[in-house]
Amino acid sequence: MNGTRPGKIVCIGRNFRDHAKELGHEVPSEPVFFLKATSALIGPGEAIRLPVWSEEVHHEGEIALVIGRRATAVTEAEAMDHVAAWTLLNDVTARDVQRGDKGRFTRAKGFDTACPLSDVRLTGIDWPKCRLQCLVDGALRQDGSLSDMVFGPAFVVSYVSRYMSLEPGDVVSLGTPAGVGRLERGQVVEVRLLGPDGALLASLRNPVE
Ligand code: MG
């Protein structure tokens, strides 16, 4: 991928009510978070390579924050002052391996190419009125309002920063709406952010090999 690599990628799990339900989970009472390896990063247009050891690799279209200023134990009121921009991420997941690993996400979500990241950096968006979508070969698979998030961006940044400092360039991904599903070789997966008026604000497209 081009540009500066983030020092870490923090991902929130089960943060959209409808996605927690589709995987048979309760909506969590506190954010659930994990790290994705930076070696998994690829940029727009680069190929997601399906690993030979998984039969079930899923897309998870996500909206993410890019940290602008170091955040250590910041309050919810302070949190957004530490965020530089919004972007898009695909939390590609080997679902079969994730199930077998019983809550340990490192193999299932950390393999090479499992983290497509947009190079678009958006500011000043009216996020509760935006929609996050994921399409495979142009067919809509995921479509959720950001207002369906259990924990909003300020709460998430504040919460994570109690446990680990967030540093400039770090990425915090806020979770995926319902509709996750399988990717096959030869497909193209696209994550989209739509504004309040339905206009396309950002798009992240990656072929699957
Ligand atoms: Mg995810």
Side-chain angles (χ1 to χ4, degrees):
M1 80 172 268
N2 296 321
T4 313
R5 221 172 231 210
K8 60 182 169 297
I9 305 157
V10 179
C11 292
I12 310 299
R14 303 170 199 166
N15 197 30
F16 279 76
R17 291 177 182 87
D18 57 352
H19 171 63
K21 258 184 261 165
E22 81 175 336
L23 292 186
H25 298 296
E26 296 295 315
V27 169
S29 55
E30 287 186 86
V32 175
F33 71 92
F34 57 92
L35 296 174
K36 235 167 138 78
T38 54
S39 48
L41 281 165
I42 55 172
E46 291 188 74
I48 298 164
R49 293 193 312 274
L50 301 183
V52 295
W53 41 260
S54 172
E55 299 296 318
E56 192 186 1
V57 173
H58 282 191
H59 54 83
E60 291 190 4
E62 307 203 349
I63 183 88
L65 306 170
V66 181
I67 298 298
R69 206 149 64 78
R70 187 181 175 89
T72 304
V74 297
T75 65
E76 194 173 348
E78 296 163 338
M80 294 312 280
D81 294 339
H82 297 261
V83 172
W86 297 77
T87 192
L88 295 173
L89 182 149
N90 196 337
D91 178 19
V92 177
T93 301
R95 194 73 68 202
D96 47 356
V97 171
Q98 183 188 27
R99 275 194 295 268
D101 283 354
K102 297 184 177 29
R104 292 182 297 275
F105 292 177
T106 308
R107 285 200 303 170
K109 289 174 175 279
F111 61 88
D112 290 2
T113 76
C115 195
L117 179 68
S118 170
D119 53 6
V120 171
R121 299 290 178 264
L122 295 166
T123 54
I125 63 167
D126 189 3
W127 68 266
K129 295 186 180 153
C130 293
R131 296 191 78 78
L132 196 278
Q133 297 185 333
C134 187
L135 297 87
V136 176
D137 286 345
L140 190 62
R141 294 270 194 96
Q142 297 184 263
D143 183 18
S145 169
L146 299 195
S147 62
D148 189 43
M149 289 195 289
V150 181
F151 305 107
F155 186 86
V156 166
V157 167
S158 167
Y159 184 88
V160 173
S161 79
R162 289 164 54 190
Y163 299 97
M164 57 178 71
S165 289
L166 293 167
E167 299 178 309
D170 284 357
V171 171
V172 180
S173 198
L174 297 173
T176 202
V180 299
R182 193 184 294 254
L183 291 171
E184 310 280 357
R185 286 188 179 83
Q187 291 178 326
V188 174
V189 58
E190 179 183 10
V191 185
R192 284 181 175 177
L193 183 68
L194 303 183
D197 54 0
L200 184 66
L201 299 180
S203 163
L204 170 64
R205 285 166 64 91
N206 296 89
V208 182
E209 285 180 358

